[in-house]
């Protein structure tokens, strides 16, 4: 069964000699030593008591002559839902609040400056069902809804920037629903929001029945601790989505996700996409996934002839950070709630840009011209056939 493998790391750690493990770490993660950061005893005790995993890793940069280091502590939280999906909506939401608050409190005590949760963290991922009731009742105002009000207090208490992915109901625009990440500043104000740009139409991810592609573009939020952006789940398959956050100056891009091991979510791609985005765009990325199985009261079908079922599959957690040089830390487990902390020096972004020149060599002008041709109705793909060469010779 899916849930049995704790993590990729556990398979490796349990089966390699210390020499081979060091070599594996060097080749796969990008460094022999994970730069583990010690945690407070009280945090370890709280994590044990509330049954969540906790780990912290550093991504240092070289000391510079002209700029001080810009060390930021960034946290991500992955978690399962708290009570069964047939319970009243507000009860479900409040139970998730109570569970996640314990993890946020530990992050606050660890001095985390910016935190991000998984996609639609305050509800079950019910879009597989295609039912509108009662799931649409989870939707709330991004600015004034109960989730933002709940987080606002914690943001102020811990001077923490919080990225909260919710089902938004836009009350000012005829109650339309959106999949929205709300960015709350350390002073408790909503700085802005990112609506999901790419909506899946794959497997049981029936989200397009509920909301449309976002209309907020690629904003970068200038927070007290750094410039951040949010590429919501399915957007991680779209390289231009990642690219635009880089063009707008993002230093850290979060990828709050809800994804499963089956083909629709493709676990084998999870470890590549956010990492590749960090490399090509020379910024930090954080990929965050839900955890566990979520069973719904009514069966639904997948339009594939297979029997109707009540859950979408295992959300496999495995949240992780990647630095702009492509070095990554071990992921959280596949089946347990967790808090992953990264102590990152944001100076590394510019150091890597200077060293690797990916921005300088990117040829945007060429692609703008090519892409504008692609959009023309009578576009002919630039394909050269062997026969064309022969014709040229004649
Ligand atoms: N939530 C979401 O967009 N999931 C789609 C499946 C995937 O690509 O991960």
């Amino acid at each position: 069964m899916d849930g049995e493998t704790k993590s990729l790391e556990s398979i490796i750690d349990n089966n390699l000699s210390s020499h081979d493990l060091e070599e594996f770490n060097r080749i796969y993660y990008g460094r022999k030593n994970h730069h583990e950061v010690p945690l407070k005893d009280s945090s370890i005790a709280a994590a044990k008591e509330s049954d969540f995993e906790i780990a912290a890793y550093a991504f240092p940069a070289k000391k510079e002559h002209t700029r001080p280091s810009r060390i930021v502590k960034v946290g991500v939280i992955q978690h399962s839902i708290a009570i069964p999906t047939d319970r009243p909506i507000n009860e479900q939401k409040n139970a998730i609040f109570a569970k996640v608050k314990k993890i946020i409190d530990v992050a606050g005590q660890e001095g985390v400056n910016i935190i991000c949760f998984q996609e639609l963290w305050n509800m079950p991922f019910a879009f597989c069902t295609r039912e509108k009731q009662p799931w649409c009742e989870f939707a709330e105002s991004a600015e004034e809804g109960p989730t933002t009000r709940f987080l606002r207090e914690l943001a102020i208490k811990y001077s923490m920037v919080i990225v909260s992915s919710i089902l938004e109901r836009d009350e000012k625009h005829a109650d339309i629903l959106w999949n929205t990440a709300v960015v709350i500043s350390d002073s408790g104000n909503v700085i802005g929001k990112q609506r999901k740009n790419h909506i899946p139409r794959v497997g049981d991810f029936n989200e397009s029945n509920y909301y449309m592609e976002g209309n907020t573009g690629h904003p970068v939020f200038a927070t007290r601790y750094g410039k951040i952006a949010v590429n919501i789940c399915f957007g991680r398959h779209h390289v231009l989505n990642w690219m635009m956050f880089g063009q707008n100056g993002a230093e850290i891009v979060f990828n709050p996700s809800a994804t499963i091991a089956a083909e629709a979510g493709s676990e084998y791609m999870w470890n590549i996409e956010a990492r590749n985005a960090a490399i090509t765009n020379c910024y930090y990325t954080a990929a965050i996934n839900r955890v566990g199985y979520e069973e719904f009261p009514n069966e639904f079908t997948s339009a594939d002839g297979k029997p109707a079922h009540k859950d979408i599959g295992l959300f496999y957690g495995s949240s992780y950070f990647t630095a702009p040089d492509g070095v990554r830390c071990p992921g959280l487990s596949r089946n347990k709630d967790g808090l992953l902390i990264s102590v990152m020096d944001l100076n590394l972004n510019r150091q890597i840009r200077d060293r690797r020149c990916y921005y300088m060599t990117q040829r945007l002008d060429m692609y703008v011209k090519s892409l504008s041709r692609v959009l023309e109705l009578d576009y002919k793909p630039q394909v050269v056939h062997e026969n064309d060469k022969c014709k040229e010779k004649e």
Side-chain angles (χ1 to χ4, degrees), residues 320-355:
Y320 69 99
F321 286 100
T322 306
D325 55 0
V327 171
R328 62 157 284 183
C329 66
L332 288 176
S333 81
R334 298 177 76 245
N335 48 18
K336 203 167 172 180
D337 295 354
L339 168 64
L340 184 64
I341 297 172
S342 156
V343 183
M344 47 179 76
D345 188 340
L346 295 183
N347 278 357
L348 191 59
N349 287 337
R350 200 174 81 178
Q351 292 178 11
I352 295 299
R353 286 172 195 208
D354 287 351
R355 189 171 337 143

Side-chain angles (χ1 to χ4, degrees), residues 252-264:
I252 309 165
V253 180
F254 295 97
N255 175 229
S257 296
T259 192
I260 55 167
E263 187 265 336

Side-chain angles (χ1 to χ4, degrees), residues 119 125 179 196 198-200 202 205 207 211 232-237 256-260 263-266 269-270 273 315-316:
E119 185 180 18
F125 207 77
N179 180 324
K196 185 171 180 171
H198 299 276
I199 310 296
V202 55
F205 288 89
E207 293 164 62
Y211 38 77
I232 304 174
C233 194
F234 200 67
R236 77 180 182 284
H237 309 306
S257 296
T259 192
I260 55 167
E263 187 265 336
S266 301
M269 291 166 12
W270 176 253
E273 291 171 301
F315 292 108
Y316 54 78

